[in-house]
Amino acid sequence: METPAVIGLRAHTGWAAAVAVAGEREAPRVVERRRIELAGAGLNRFVFHHAAELSAADAERWIERARLAAERHATDQMAALVAAIRSLGQRAIAAVVPAAAPLPPLGAIVGAHAKIHAAEGVFWREVTAAACIGVGLEVRRVGERAARDLLAALLPDGRPSLEARLRGLGAALGPPWAEDQKLATVLAWTRLSHEAAALSVSSE
């Protein structure tokens, strides 16, 4: 019988760190981790940087084409990840992606370098979420800064227990186990905790 797994993803410009976890709230295990390529070959991953060099009309068209191309490629990548998880006897049921603030109008973005960088981040988070939806996963959004606090509140021993568990997972898995993988794990773990609680209630 397949057991449920949750995928956490931390997106960057053109790629995302993905970690799938399964098991109990108190003792989750990492069942898969990998780098997901979001952009695909031939796509300029710096979407808004490129848009800033175009006319307003061309910029709008470019962003839409880039979004569609990225979503197609990212969906294929996520489908491969879901299949790999299934081959390990798990069933991916959900994904957790960092929350993203709404983008301001394009004219306001391309006029400020800091906003261009922020827009790139939002763009790739939204591509990641769309790809997860495209393969049939429930998508939950959690703020990166809030994720650890949210999860710590669900654990009996709070934040120290969370950090100790993350260190233990990293020691068992080996590299890569940097902040990307830790945060992706935390994101997935927040949803897995709710799944474990639901299973516990339904079995009573």
Side-chain angles (χ1 to χ4, degrees), residues 15 17 38 44 47-48 56 59 73-74 81 91 94 98 106 121 127 134 138 147-148 169 174 189 193 197:
W15 67 279
L38 303 172
N44 184 344
V47 175
F48 283 85
H73 183 79
L81 174 57
R91 179 173 60 90
L106 182 57
V127 165
E138 169 205 322
R148 273 185 167 86
L169 287 171
W189 195 352
S193 293

Side-chain angles (χ1 to χ4, degrees), residues 10 142-155 157-167 177-190 193:
R10 190 188 198 192
V142 178
E144 284 192 5
R145 294 182 181 179
R148 273 185 167 86
D149 290 338
L150 177 63
L151 181 55
L154 297 173
L155 297 175
D157 301 325
R159 187 67 173 262
S161 177
L162 168 60
E163 298 303 332
R165 283 165 167 79
L166 287 174
R167 287 193 297 272
W177 192 249
E179 183 59 22
D180 285 330
Q181 288 75 31
K182 291 177 185 177
L183 181 60
T185 300
V186 167
L187 290 167
W189 195 352
T190 62
S193 293

Side-chain angles (χ1 to χ4, degrees), residues 69-204:
E71 286 182 4
R72 284 194 298 269
H73 183 79
T75 299
D76 288 343
Q77 294 281 296
M78 285 303 302
L81 174 57
V82 168
I85 292 169
R86 174 159 286 178
S87 73
L88 298 171
Q90 317 292 325
R91 179 173 60 90
I93 60 168
V96 186
V97 179
L103 288 175
L106 182 57
I109 295 171
V110 298
H113 196 67
K115 290 183 179 180
I116 290 175
H117 278 282
E120 302 282 18
V122 172
F123 178 90
W124 290 108
R125 288 181 183 184
E126 295 304 320
V127 165
T128 302
C132 293
I133 293 170
V135 296
L137 298 175
E138 169 205 322
V139 174
R140 185 182 185 200
R141 308 299 292 266
V142 178
E144 284 192 5
R145 294 182 181 179
R148 273 185 167 86
D149 290 338
L150 177 63
L151 181 55
L154 297 173
L155 297 175
D157 301 325
R159 187 67 173 262
S161 177
L162 168 60
E163 298 303 332
R165 283 165 167 79
L166 287 174
R167 287 193 297 272
L169 287 171
L173 291 166
W177 192 249
E179 183 59 22
D180 285 330
Q181 288 75 31
K182 291 177 185 177
L183 181 60
T185 300
V186 167
L187 290 167
W189 195 352
T190 62
R191 175 63 179 79
L192 184 68
S193 293
H194 288 290
E195 180 69 18
L199 288 174
S200 175
V201 170
S202 66
S203 65
E204 292 178 355

Side-chain angles (χ1 to χ4, degrees), residues 7-47:
I7 304 169
L9 298 114
R10 190 188 198 192
H12 290 274
T13 304
W15 67 279
V19 178
V21 301
E24 302 297 325
R25 176 189 295 186
E26 302 302 320
R29 63 186 186 279
V30 173
V31 297
E32 181 69 21
R33 58 177 170 165
R34 63 176 61 180
R35 175 180 169 125
I36 299 291
E37 297 298 336
L38 303 172
L43 177 64
N44 184 344
R45 60 194 179 97
F46 296 101
V47 175

